[in-house]
């Protein structure tokens, strides 16, 4: 009788094999332990991707912080902060919001104060964009968009959109309604907060067969297909559309441009404020700011990030510089529900 | 009569599922009902109260009635079209014995593998100015078709979403009816149409009712299709509800809208059930 072959499975072999198999998990676990996580409430899509590519991967991760993304629209995000503001532990560390929403949250006492001691780069922010609780990330002026192929004399004022020759050929994304109302108020009433005058002008624009689009992206291709001749849009989007091959150009209205300012806030009850401050500081680094300008067409909010080359040309403001109007967040946050209701019943519903 | 031990056994099997339903459906609905009685405040978001103001706002303004009317009209039209197109398709599929039956059924099911939003984006490409339909019509007939952001686009889009549900439900109903019944009717001299109307139709009626109700409910709650194909000017209840929740953060009013939509759908489906003669009801 032959001896049974000696088993190759030894105790040492099993231990070595197990260690080898478990190595990736151990390494990942060690890395996860090293990186401090924080919850980032943000928009999805391009914005989230660019945050990852320009802020988190090159800067924030090197500082040992890593985001857990809570993607969604701004209003539910703000509502979440409001609803949980009295709880000892909140659900978000950093929330991306527009300036108007940030004001409303600050008014409710839901936001942490941001100082240069917490976020040193805030000292580089442009005047008028930051507040005690809001750190601006990107900004863009609202301009008049037009088709350079079909519009030989570019529009110079909101009033030009009312021209009957643009009947049925003027439009913008429906979601921008509040900024369009401000632009109309600025033209007709001399103030972005003059909503009564704005209502009159926008009602006239509506009778010029105004076209409304369900998303920002869907308002670009109509310039290519010939559906739209003129509209209202952010300068940033014009740059993006141009880069995508859409023949569209920007004209700065002589009455002034409303500024779209988007940034970030830290809720008072954020579970990991230290990581949140580090992230805000990384977001204000010139390299991160230039990345957003190059890829998304938004202007840097810090003075130490200088644009060069094609981006500088695309995003250049004309000379003399146009009047730039920072919306009055205090007035707007109170006016928004009434204007939204009016828009839905009067402009959309025709 | 069921023994006590059998009842206990049945309860123990039903218990977990009932608990899950209570937890994930009933509890949020109760919470939503409570929210609908609160007051909205732009700064505070929601102030605890017990008021019917949110419901009164809906019923006192013509705008909201009109949105509800549009929603019901679209849901009814889509249901009627689904019946019209789905009945012959389901009947043919049910009576098919060839090897093509399974591939054809798969073709009906296949659209359900893709989310309705993605399918709607497909329709957007078809309907857009200078899109496939517009270009084809301009080339063949010298006329442009501008279907984008029209009620027609919404009806076509919703129809494409709901039709597979109608066909699959009806096919199962027809499959359950014994083939020999119509053969017996033919044997007794009834022409095919008469055999269908007198024998098959009454037997299928409860199932047809269920398929129609399913289709109607889907139509009443349509969100992505009206938003993407109807545009901001075409207003139906689900997009309106989301506008109040998302743009205005008006949770109390959007909660009230949710209950009004749910109540109206329930009421109409109950009424529809009464249309079917009692002896044919499921």
């Amino acid at each position: 009788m032959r001896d049974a072959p000696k088993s190759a499975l030894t105790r040492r072999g099993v231990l070595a094999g197990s260690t080898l198999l478990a190595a990736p998990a151990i390494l990942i676990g060690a890395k996860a332990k090293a990186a401090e996580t924080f919850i980032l409430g943000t928009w999805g899509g391009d914005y989230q991707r660019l945050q990852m590519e320009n802020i988190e991967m090159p800067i924030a991760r090197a500082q040992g912080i890593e985001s857990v993304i809570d993607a969604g629209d701004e209003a539910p995000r703000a509502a979440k902060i409001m609803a949980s503001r009295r709880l000892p532990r909140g659900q978000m560390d950093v929330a991306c919001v527009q300036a108007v929403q940030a004001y409303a949250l600050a008014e409710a006492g839901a936001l942490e104060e941001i100082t240069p001691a917490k976020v040193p780069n805030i000292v580089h922010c442009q005047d008028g964009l930051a507040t005690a609780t809001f750190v601006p990330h990107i900004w863009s002026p609202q301009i008049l968009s037009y088709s350079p192929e079909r519009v030989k004399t570019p529009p110079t004022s909101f009033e030009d959109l009312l021209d009957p020759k643009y009947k049925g050929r003027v439009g913008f994304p429906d979601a921008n309604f509040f900024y369009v109302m401000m632009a109309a108020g600025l033209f007709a009433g001399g103030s972005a907060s003059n909503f009564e005058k704005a209502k009159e002008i926008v009602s006239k624009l509506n009778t010029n067969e105004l076209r409304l689009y369900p998303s920002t992206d869907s308002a670009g291709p109509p310039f290519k297909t010939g559906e739209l001749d003129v509209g209202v849009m952010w300068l940033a989007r014009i740059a993006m559309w141009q880069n995508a091959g859409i023949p569209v150009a920007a004209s700065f209205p002589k009455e002034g441009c409303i500024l779209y300012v988007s940034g970030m806030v830290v809720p008072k009850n954020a579970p990991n404020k230290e990581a949140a401050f580090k992230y805000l500081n990384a977001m204000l680094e010139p390299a991160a700011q230039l990345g957003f300008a190059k890829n998304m067409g938004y202007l840097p909010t810090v003075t130490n990030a200088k644009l060069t080359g094609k981006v500088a040309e695309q995003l250049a403001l004309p000379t003399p510089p146009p009047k730039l109007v920072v919306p009055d967040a205090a007035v707007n946050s109170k006016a928004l529900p009434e204007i939204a209701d009016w828009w839905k019943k009067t402009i959309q519903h025709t | 009569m069921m023994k006590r031990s059998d009842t206990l056994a049945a309860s123990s099997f039903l218990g977990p599922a009932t608990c899950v339903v209570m937890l994930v459906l009933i509890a949020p609905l109760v919470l939503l009902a409570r929210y609908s009685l609160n007051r909205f405040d732009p700064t505070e978001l929601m102030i605890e109260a017990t008021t019917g103001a949110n419901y009164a706002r809906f019923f006192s303004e013509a705008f909201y009635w009109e949105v509800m009317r549009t929603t019901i009209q679209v849901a009814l039209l889509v249901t009627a079209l689904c019946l019209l197109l789905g009945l012959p398709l389901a009947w043919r599929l049910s009576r098919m014995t060839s090897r093509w039956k399974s591939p054809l059924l798969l073709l009906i099911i296949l659209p359900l593998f893709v989310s309705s939003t993605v399918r709607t984006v497909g329709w957007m490409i078809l309907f857009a100015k200078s899109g496939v339909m517009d270009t084809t019509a301009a080339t063949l007939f010298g006329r442009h078709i501008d279907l984008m952001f029209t009620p027609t686009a919404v009806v076509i889009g919703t129809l494409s979403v709901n039709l597979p549900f109608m066909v699959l439900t009806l096919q199962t109903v027809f499959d359950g009816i014994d083939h020999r019944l119509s053969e017996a009717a033919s044997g007794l001299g009834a022409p095919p149409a008469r055999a269908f109307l007198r024998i098959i139709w009454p037997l299928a009626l409860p199932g047809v009712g269920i398929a129609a109700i399913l289709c109607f409910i889907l139509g009443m709650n349509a969100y992505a299709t009206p938003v993407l194909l109807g545009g901001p000017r075409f207003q139906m209840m689900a997009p309106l509800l989301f506008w109040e929740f998302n743009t205005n953060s008006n949770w109390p009013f959007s909660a009230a809208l949710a209950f009004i939509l749910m109540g109206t759908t329930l009421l109409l489906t109950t009424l529809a059930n009464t249309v079917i003669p009692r002896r044919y009801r499921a």
Side-chain angles (χ1 to χ4, degrees), chain A residues 75 82 206 210 345 347, chain B residues 43-44 57 61 233 235 246:
Chain A
M82 287 288 281
N206 207 27
L210 168 69
K345 290 172 184 168
I347 300 300
Chain B
T43 314
E44 287 291 313
R57 181 180 168 191
E61 289 188 39
R233 291 187 190 275
Q235 284 151 350
N246 198 49

Side-chain angles (χ1 to χ4, degrees), chain B residues 17-29:
Chain B
T18 312
C19 287
V20 170
V21 170
M22 287 292 283
L23 203 71
V24 301
L25 183 73
I26 308 292
L29 281 179

Side-chain angles (χ1 to χ4, degrees), chain A residues 73-76 78-80 82-83 85-86 101 104 107-108 169 174 177 206 209-215 218 225-227 333-334 336-337 340-341 343-350, chain B residues 40-46 57 61-64 66-67 70 124 128-131 146 148-149 227-235 239-240 242-249 251 253:
Chain A
D73 276 343
E74 184 192 53
K80 208 182 271 185
M82 287 288 281
R85 71 187 189 279
R86 293 197 180 93
Q101 192 65 263
E107 276 289 281
R169 312 189 69 81
D174 186 62
F177 76 93
N206 207 27
E209 291 182 14
L210 168 69
R211 285 179 182 266
L212 299 173
Y213 294 88
S215 67
S218 60
T225 60
E227 192 173 290
S333 64
K334 287 183 177 60
L336 180 61
D341 208 43
W343 183 269
K344 175 139 278 294
K345 290 172 184 168
T346 316
I347 300 300
Q348 286 185 348
H349 193 65
T350 45
Chain B
F40 169 65
D41 181 88
T43 314
E44 287 291 313
L45 193 69
M46 199 157 57
R57 181 180 168 191
E61 289 188 39
F63 168 78
Y64 297 113
E66 212 170 307
V67 177
T70 308
M124 284 172 81
K129 195 177 169 78
S130 302
D146 196 0
M148 200 60 190
F149 304 144
V227 166
L228 295 172
L229 294 179
R233 291 187 190 275
F234 187 79
Q235 284 151 350
L240 175 73
F242 187 70
W243 165 277
E244 286 297 338
F245 170 76
N246 198 49
T247 309
N248 282 351
S249 291
W251 290 14
F253 187 50

Side-chain angles (χ1 to χ4, degrees), chain A residues 13-320:
Chain A
V14 168
L15 277 172
S18 309
T19 313
L20 206 65
L21 282 172
I26 293 166
L27 288 173
I28 291 167
K31 192 183 162 219
K33 201 177 176 187
E36 207 177 332
T37 57
F38 69 100
I39 301 156
L40 172 64
T42 182
W43 289 278
D46 284 341
Y47 187 77
Q48 183 197 323
R49 178 178 58 80
L50 291 172
Q51 279 182 304
M52 189 56 80
E53 290 173 6
N54 295 291
I55 306 171
E56 182 154 341
M57 296 308 285
I59 306 170
R61 290 271 177 105
Q63 296 172 6
I65 55 167
E66 192 176 327
S67 68
V68 174
I69 302 288
D70 178 0
D73 276 343
E74 184 192 53
R77 185 157 53 247
K80 208 182 271 185
I81 296 173
M82 287 288 281
S84 61
R85 71 187 189 279
R86 293 197 180 93
L87 299 175
R89 192 179 160 86
Q91 299 172 340
M92 239 176 279
D93 294 302
V94 176
C96 299
V97 289
Q98 293 177 49
V100 176
Q101 192 65 263
Y103 176 87
L105 290 170
E107 276 289 281
L111 301 181
E112 179 80 13
E113 198 171 318
I114 309 289
T115 60
K118 294 171 183 168
V119 180
N121 277 339
I122 202 167
V123 295
H124 300 298
C125 281
Q126 292 185 36
D127 292 341
L129 297 185
T131 69
T133 52
F134 173 72
V135 183
H137 177 215
I138 50 175
W139 72 278
S140 190
Q142 185 174 245
I143 48 79
L144 302 171
S145 50
Y146 68 96
S147 158
E149 290 172 347
R150 294 181 297 280
V151 178
K152 296 303 166 203
T153 313
T156 56
S157 161
F158 196 92
E159 188 181 24
D160 291 343
L161 306 181
L162 306 173
D163 194 324
K165 73 180 173 192
Y166 295 131
K167 192 164 188 165
R169 312 189 69 81
V170 50
F172 48 80
D174 186 62
N176 290 14
F177 76 93
F178 197 66
Y179 284 87
V180 173
M181 289 294 285
M182 285 193 273
L186 186 63
F187 158 70
S191 158
S193 307
N194 194 335
F195 292 113
E196 286 315 305
K197 284 282 180 195
K199 283 178 183 175
E200 285 173 26
I201 290 294
V202 173
S203 296
K204 279 185 191 166
L205 186 65
N206 207 27
T207 55
N208 212 19
E209 291 182 14
L210 168 69
R211 285 179 182 266
L212 299 173
Y213 294 88
S215 67
T216 309
D217 290 328
S218 60
F223 281 99
K224 194 171 185 174
T225 60
E227 192 173 290
L228 280 186
D229 283 348
V230 288
V232 186
M233 193 26 77
W234 321 123
L235 180 65
R237 277 284 163 174
I238 300 298
M240 273 183 95
W241 289 343
Q242 283 172 343
N243 293 343
I246 295 171
V248 62
S251 170
F252 292 79
K254 60 188 177 199
E255 60 269 15
C257 302
I258 306 293
L259 296 195
Y260 169 85
V261 186
S262 177
M264 300 181 196
V265 294
V266 177
K268 253 185 188 162
N269 54 5
N272 192 349
K273 284 182 195 165
E274 287 311 310
F277 297 145
K278 276 186 192 172
Y279 186 78
L280 294 188
N281 206 49
M283 172 266 276
L284 293 175
E285 286 292 334
Q289 291 271 319
L290 292 174
F292 265 85
K294 187 182 166 199
N295 295 297
M296 221 177 177
Y298 283 98
L299 290 157
T301 51
V302 290
T303 50
N304 57 346
K306 297 287 177 217
L307 298 176
T308 54
K310 190 189 170 193
V311 192
E313 273 174 40
Q314 273 185 318
L315 305 179
L317 299 180
T319 317

Side-chain angles (χ1 to χ4, degrees), chain B:
Chain B
M1 200 177 151
M2 218 175 178
K3 284 191 285 183
R4 192 179 158 79
S5 60
D6 288 345
T7 316
L8 272 173
S11 304
S12 62
F13 278 118
L14 284 173
T18 312
C19 287
V20 170
V21 170
M22 287 292 283
L23 203 71
V24 301
L25 183 73
I26 308 292
L29 281 179
V30 171
L31 191 67
L32 205 64
R34 181 67 195 86
Y35 282 177
S36 73
L37 301 174
N38 283 344
R39 263 192 313 115
F40 169 65
D41 181 88
T43 314
E44 287 291 313
L45 193 69
M46 199 157 57
I47 296 172
E48 213 156 290
T50 313
T51 170
N54 297 308
Y55 293 93
R57 181 180 168 191
F58 179 90
F59 291 110
S60 61
E61 289 188 39
F63 168 78
Y64 297 113
W65 281 97
E66 212 170 307
V67 177
M68 180 61 91
R69 199 181 64 198
T70 308
T71 310
I72 294 170
Q73 280 173 343
V74 168
L76 282 176
L77 185 59
V78 168
T79 307
L81 288 171
C82 276
L83 270 174
L84 203 68
L85 297 171
L87 264 173
L89 201 60
W91 173 252
R92 188 76 195 88
L93 269 172
S94 152
R95 292 303 181 246
M96 203 176 235
T97 49
S98 81
R99 62 196 166 96
W100 291 105
K101 183 172 180 172
S102 297
L104 282 172
L105 259 175
L106 191 69
L107 276 179
I108 304 278
I109 297 168
L110 218 54
L112 301 177
F113 281 55
V114 185
S115 90
S116 61
T117 310
V118 175
R119 270 180 286 161
T120 307
V121 172
W123 284 111
M124 284 172 81
I125 295 165
L126 279 176
F127 291 156
K129 195 177 169 78
S130 302
V132 178
M133 280 178 78
D134 185 32
T135 313
T136 312
T139 313
L140 295 178
F141 312 110
R143 281 186 64 189
H144 284 276
I145 299 179
D146 196 0
L147 272 176
M148 200 60 190
F149 304 144
T150 61
T152 313
V154 177
V155 170
I156 294 173
T158 317
L159 178 67
S160 77
V161 173
N162 294 5
L163 194 57
F165 293 101
M166 176 66 90
V167 174
L168 290 174
T169 315
L170 289 180
Q171 191 249 334
T172 319
V173 170
F174 289 138
D175 270 354
I177 298 170
D178 196 335
H179 291 216
R180 289 170 300 183
L181 288 172
S182 48
E183 286 167 14
S186 300
L188 291 168
R194 191 178 165 88
F196 180 84
L197 285 173
R198 297 295 296 273
I199 309 292
I200 306 297
W201 182 246
L203 288 171
L205 206 52
V208 173
I210 287 166
I213 283 171
L214 177 72
C215 200
F216 178 74
I217 292 170
L218 287 171
M220 286 290 283
N221 294 297
Y223 173 75
T225 313
V227 166
L228 295 172
L229 294 179
R233 291 187 190 275
F234 187 79
Q235 284 151 350
M236 282 174 67
M237 282 299 285
L240 175 73
L241 193 160
F242 187 70
W243 165 277
E244 286 297 338
F245 170 76
N246 198 49
T247 309
N248 282 351
S249 291
N250 192 340
W251 290 14
F253 187 50
S254 47
L257 285 176
F259 273 96
I260 291 165
L261 178 60
M262 204 156 48
T264 311
T265 312
L266 271 172
L267 183 74
L268 290 172
T269 47
T270 313
L271 282 176
N273 205 33
T274 59
V275 173
I276 300 171
R278 187 176 289 273
R279 68 176 187 276
Y280 297 135
R281 280 180 210 164

